[in-house]
Amino acid sequence: METSRRPDHEPATPPPGGSPQAPAEQLLAGRTALVTGAASGIGRACAQALAAAGAHVHVVDRSGEAAKSLAEELAGTAWVVDLSDPAVVDTLPAEVDVVVNNAGLQHVAPVHEFPPERFALIQRVMVETPFRILRRTLPGMYERGWGRVVNISSVHGLRASPYKSAYVTAKHALEGLSKVVALEAAEHGVTSNCVSPGYVRTPLVENQIADQARTHGISEADVVGRVMLERSAIKRLIEPADVAEAVLWLCGPRTGHITGTSLSMDGGWTAN
């Protein structure tokens, strides 16, 4: 499908009496987006936001029923794959305009007890897979002269916490990969950024609450108040839809000069 693509630096002509920014449902009309880990949590919210903005969304997740249901809801396409297998990336679509690297997993344990195979799995899913996806999709973005890469990082891509060696390592690596892509892709009209939230109300975080309660020997309520949000000025979990709005904004027509950055949504955690 051929679409009209206006460079980011070219000013839009505002409608009579209106704002130059198009309605949300038109921002990504004619574009395609690929979202990993899209069947739940942040990924699901991102897929919904991008579809509402007009993009055709490729819903990538290993949870087949949930992925297919969401894809049907969004008139998108479901890709039921296990991203721990590097070879499956070559089965995913390469011709996309927006990539949201979101898929992830967690394991909580001290370094001296951390299973090496679990550490390797987390790096494979959260670092190697984004690299492979971008290696596959960037050439098409370069050819078309436009693209948006948004990597869902974490406050743990900027700060460390005990017992999360694999997750912290992976998120720091993702931040570095995102910056390298930003430098390489700039001349092609492609931006690359991270969105780095604190604790978001997702199934992954809910599982962490239970894991940390066991690790620290405290109640789940104390995990949220004393462990998770201790360093945050805002004492509440972030909603997935709020992260998705930040992702959508980075994919919009007024963010062509925002690249190589990490947009913190950490409730003031990194201000300490």
Side-chain angles (χ1 to χ4, degrees):
M1 178 186 300
E2 294 186 1
T3 60
S4 175
R5 303 182 186 277
R6 180 179 56 80
D8 285 319
H9 62 269
E10 182 180 323
T13 301
S19 166
Q21 178 162 308
E25 63 270 16
Q26 299 298 316
L27 292 179
L28 296 174
R31 307 286 192 190
T32 58
L34 185 149
V35 183
T36 65
S40 66
I42 294 172
R44 180 182 179 87
C46 289
Q48 291 172 325
L50 294 169
H56 179 91
V57 179
H58 294 287
V59 177
V60 181
D61 205 285
R62 67 178 183 175
S63 177
E65 184 176 343
K68 291 174 183 177
S69 175
L70 180 61
E72 182 177 356
E73 171 192 326
L74 303 180
T77 305
W79 298 83
V80 182
V81 295
D82 184 349
L83 293 175
S84 67
D85 178 2
V88 305
V89 171
D90 291 336
T91 70
L92 299 176
E95 297 301 316
V96 297
D97 302 298
V98 175
V99 169
V100 179
N101 285 310
N102 167 72
L105 65 156
Q106 178 63 281
H107 187 88
V108 178
V111 170
H112 67 284
E113 297 176 359
F114 210 102
E117 65 278 5
R118 192 69 173 173
F119 187 96
L121 172 66
I122 289 173
Q123 308 315 306
R124 196 157 60 245
V125 173
M126 296 171 58
V127 183
E128 183 178 349
T129 291
F131 159 75
R132 286 178 176 271
I133 288 174
L134 294 176
R135 183 177 184 274
R136 181 170 169 79
T137 57
L138 283 172
M141 295 184 193
Y142 292 172
E143 182 178 347
R144 294 185 294 275
W146 192 93
R148 294 290 182 266
V149 176
V150 185
N151 300 297
I152 305 301
S153 181
S154 164
V155 66
H156 283 117
L158 307 172
R159 298 290 188 272
S161 289
Y163 310 111
K164 296 182 177 181
S165 58
Y167 189 86
V168 170
T169 298
K171 291 302 189 184
H172 274 66
L174 185 63
E175 295 269 354
L177 174 63
S178 184
K179 291 175 182 177
V180 171
V181 171
L183 297 178
E184 293 182 3
E187 64 180 295
H188 303 287
V190 177
T191 65
S192 175
N193 294 286
C194 286
V195 174
S196 303
Y199 288 101
V200 183
R201 195 185 306 278
T202 66
L204 179 64
V205 166
E206 290 171 356
N207 290 336
Q208 287 182 56
I209 293 172
D211 286 343
Q212 291 209 28
R214 288 191 296 270
T215 299
H216 296 291
I218 59 178
S219 71
E220 292 189 6
D222 282 341
V223 169
V224 174
R226 290 170 47 192
V227 179
M228 288 188 167
L229 300 182
E230 178 185 13
R231 288 175 281 183
S232 297
I234 299 174
K235 302 295 184 181
R236 64 177 182 272
L237 296 177
I238 303 165
E239 298 301 325
D242 293 338
V243 180
E245 285 298 318
V247 170
L248 180 60
W249 176 70
L250 286 171
C251 295
R254 295 292 178 267
T255 55
H257 282 80
I258 300 176
T259 196
T261 67
S262 183
L263 177 59
S264 295
M265 299 182 67
D266 60 11
W269 183 330
T270 52
N272 287 319

